[in-house]
Every structure is written in structure tokens, then in C-alpha cells.
């Protein structure tokens, strides 16, 4: 059974940091581009970041550029999203997803991703 599991969410004060993890079971992540998405209450899901198969290409939404860093450790079958300088508007459920269609680069377009995790809640509040 192919499964993605996110972890690392929680409550953090503005300006703080969190590291989210996306672990795969039932398949190897090295064959997939991985994206992070988020959905805040009452808002549509939005793309946050993605990383190519090799890890050599990354993309970030303007809202998180310079504050978030995506990385992957294929040996651990895990992708990470390091989030810093967090703001209240970063509050959302964060999802990771795997795309078998993107080879050389990546785009955080939801329709390109076949496998999704259940999400982890990130709340930024004082």
C-alpha cells in the first residue's frame, strides 16, 4: 500500500521555526518529485514548494520564498520542509504529495501529483 505520512506540525509563535517531514511507505520516493501544499480554513489548497527527483531543482511560492527550504533524503525515503520566520498567515494543514510525471524539474500544481498524505496542522500564533 502506497502511503505518505506527514509529521512535525504543531503550535509555534510568530517568528519561530518548524520542520515538517514526509515519509513514504510502500514505495521509494526517489522515483517521484515531491510537493508540499497547504490549506487554510476557508481557503483553497495552494502549492508551497516542490523538489525534483534528484533534489537538484526546487521551487517555492512567493509567499514562502526565503523562509522555507525543501530537501530530500532518498536514503531515508523522506522529504523535509524547513519553515522559518513563521507568520500567522502560514497557519494551515500542510500536505505532501508525490508526482511520477515530473522528471527534470518540478511544479507545485496539484493535478500533477498522484499520491497524497493526510496532512499535518501548523498553527502560528502568540
Amino acid at each position: 500500500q502506497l502511503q505518505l505520512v506527514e509529521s512535525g506540525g504543531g503550535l509555534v509563535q510568530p517568528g519561530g521555526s518548524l520542520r515538517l517531514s514526509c515519509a513514504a511507505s510502500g514505495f521509494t520516493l526517489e522515483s517521484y518529485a515531491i510537493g508540499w501544499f497547504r490549506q487554510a480554513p476557508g481557503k483553497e489548497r495552494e502549492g508551497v514548494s516542490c523538489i525534483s527527483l534528484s533534489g537538484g531543482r526546487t521551487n517555492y511560492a512567493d509567499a514562502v520564498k526565503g523562509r522555507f527550504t525543501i530537501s530530500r533524503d532518498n536514503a531515508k525515503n523522506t522529504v523535509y520542509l524547513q519553515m522559518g520566520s513563521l507568520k500567522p498567515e502560514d497557519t494551515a494543514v500542510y500536505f505532501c504529495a508525490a508526482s511520477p510525471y515530473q522528471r527534470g524539474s518540478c511544479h507545485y500544481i496539484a493535478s500533477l501529483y498522484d499520491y497524497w498524505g493526510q496532512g499535518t496542522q501548523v498553527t502560528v500564533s502568540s
Side-chain angles (χ1 to χ4, degrees), residues 18 22 43 57 77 88 116 125:
L18 281 175
C22 172
K43 294 188 177 181
R57 298 281 185 93
N77 218 24
W116 292 79
S125 175

Side-chain angles (χ1 to χ4, degrees), residues 5-123:
V5 178
E6 303 93 339
S7 61
L11 174 64
V12 63
Q13 292 186 343
S17 300
L18 281 175
R19 188 178 78 159
L20 305 184
S21 298
C22 172
S25 62
F27 66 110
T28 55
L29 283 182
E30 64 183 1
S31 298
Y32 297 82
I34 303 299
W36 282 97
F37 297 80
R38 67 185 182 186
Q39 187 165 20
K43 294 188 177 181
E44 294 189 353
R45 181 176 53 190
E46 63 175 350
V48 174
S49 182
C50 63
I51 188 166
S52 63
L53 272 70
S54 67
R57 298 281 185 93
T58 58
N59 277 312
Y60 298 92
D62 288 343
V64 306
K65 199 170 293 183
R67 300 188 297 120
F68 290 12
T69 302
I70 191 170
S71 62
R72 67 190 302 157
D73 185 339
N74 287 338
K76 294 184 177 180
N77 218 24
T78 301
V79 172
Y80 304 98
L81 184 69
Q82 180 69 47
M83 307 187 296
S85 301
L86 284 163
K87 306 175 182 179
E89 50 264 43
D90 294 318
T91 295
V93 178
Y94 284 72
F95 303 88
C96 65
S99 170
Y101 307 112
Q102 305 179 78
R103 311 313 291 179
S105 61
C106 72
H107 304 279
Y108 40 84
I109 300 171
S111 60
L112 294 175
Y113 293 80
D114 280 356
Y115 305 106
W116 292 79
Q118 294 299 306
T120 185
Q121 176 71 47
V122 171
T123 303

